Amino acid sequence: MTEPTHDEAHGQALGARLNWLRAAVLGANDGIVSTAGLVVGVAGATADRSTLLTAGLAGLLAGSMSMAAGEYVSVSTQRDTEKAALALERRELREQPEAELEELTELLEERGLTQEVAREAAEQLTERDALRAHARVELGIDPDDLTNPWHAAWASFLAFTVGALLPLLAIVLPPSDWRVPVTVVSVLAALTLTGWSSARLGAAGPGRAMLRNVAGGALAMAVTYAAGWLLGAAGV
C-alpha cells in the first residue's frame, strides 16, 4: 500500500505545480496583450514618449493590481470552502464514525479495491488519521496544504508585470518611427511563446494554441491602434 500512496501524492504535487505554471503563463499572456493594446492605441494618437510611458505604466500597475486582487478574492473563497468542508467532515466523524467508515470503504471500492481490501484499508486509514483519509479520498483536499490566497495573488501580480514590461519597453525605447513595428513584432513573438508554453503544459498540440494567441493579440493591437489613430486625427 505504501508505493501507490506515494505515487498518488507525487501526482497531486505535480498537478499543483502544473496549475501554478499554467496560471503564470496565462497571467503573463494577459499582461502582454492588455498592455500592448493600450500602448499601441495611445501610439496611434500620439508619438510623445512621456505620454506612452505614463499610459503603459498606468496600465501595468492597474492590470497587475487587478489580477492580484482578483486571485486573492477567488482563492480566499476556495480556501474558505475547503475549511468549511473539513469542519463538516470533522463533525461527521465525531457524530457518525461508523457511517463515515462505511462511506470511506465504499469510496475505496469505487477506486477498484475489493470489498475486503477496501474495508481493511479504510479501517487502517481511519485508525491512523480519519480526517486526513476522508479529506483526501472523499474531498480531494490535503488538510496540511490548503490553497494560499497570498501566494496566488503574488504569483498573478508578478506574472502580469513581467508580461506587461515587454510591450512597455518596446514602445518607449526605440526611435519614434520604429516604436509600433518593434512593439508588434515583439508582442507577437512573445504570444507565440506563451501559446506554445500553455499548450505544452496542457499536453495539447501547440499549433492551434499559438495561432489563437497570436490572432487575438494582433486583433487587439489593430483595434486599439485604429481607435487611437482616429481620435488623434480628430484632435481629441
Side-chain angles (χ1 to χ4, degrees):
M1 294 293 294
T2 303
E3 285 188 3
T5 303
H6 174 74
D7 289 342
E8 181 179 356
H10 178 72
Q12 290 172 346
L14 178 60
R17 286 197 297 271
L18 288 177
N19 285 336
W20 278 104
L21 287 171
R22 189 176 295 108
V25 169
L26 294 177
N29 193 79
D30 288 343
I32 294 168
V33 174
S34 61
T35 306
L38 176 62
V39 296
V40 168
V42 175
T46 178
D48 183 67
R49 191 188 301 269
S50 63
T51 302
L52 293 170
L53 179 60
T54 301
L57 281 175
L60 184 154
L61 292 173
S64 59
M65 293 300 294
S66 175
M67 291 283 289
E71 281 295 310
Y72 181 84
V73 171
S74 175
V75 176
S76 292
T77 301
Q78 179 182 345
R79 185 182 178 90
D80 291 343
T81 302
E82 291 174 344
K83 285 184 175 180
L86 289 173
L88 177 60
E89 198 64 40
R90 189 179 290 109
R91 189 183 70 187
E92 290 177 343
L93 285 167
R94 184 174 62 252
E95 297 176 354
Q96 308 171 46
E98 288 301 322
E100 289 298 298
L101 180 60
E102 290 296 329
E103 182 181 36
L104 183 58
T105 301
E106 292 174 3
L107 289 170
L108 292 173
E109 283 186 67
E110 291 175 2
R111 295 192 173 193
L113 299 181
T114 64
Q115 184 177 11
E116 294 77 12
V117 174
R119 180 71 180 192
E120 181 182 354
E123 290 175 350
Q124 291 185 14
L125 289 171
T126 299
E127 182 179 351
R128 178 177 300 176
D129 191 330
L131 179 61
R132 183 187 301 277
H134 281 267
R136 290 184 170 178
V137 177
E138 180 181 349
L139 304 176
I141 298 174
D142 184 348
D144 295 327
D145 189 24
L146 299 182
T147 53
N148 190 313
W150 285 109
H151 289 172
W154 277 111
S156 183
F157 178 89
L158 292 174
F160 187 97
T161 300
V162 169
L165 281 173
L166 173 68
L168 176 59
L169 295 176
I171 204 71
V172 298
L173 293 181
S176 177
D177 293 341
W178 287 92
R179 286 174 188 164
V180 172
V182 168
T183 301
V184 170
V185 171
S186 301
V187 166
L188 295 183
L191 291 177
T192 301
L193 177 60
T194 57
W196 179 86
S197 300
S198 62
R200 297 305 297 168
L201 288 172
R208 297 183 66 179
M210 291 188 294
L211 181 60
R212 287 194 300 264
N213 236 24
V214 170
L219 179 61
M221 289 186 288
V223 169
T224 56
Y225 182 82
W229 182 84
L230 289 172
L231 290 172
V236 177

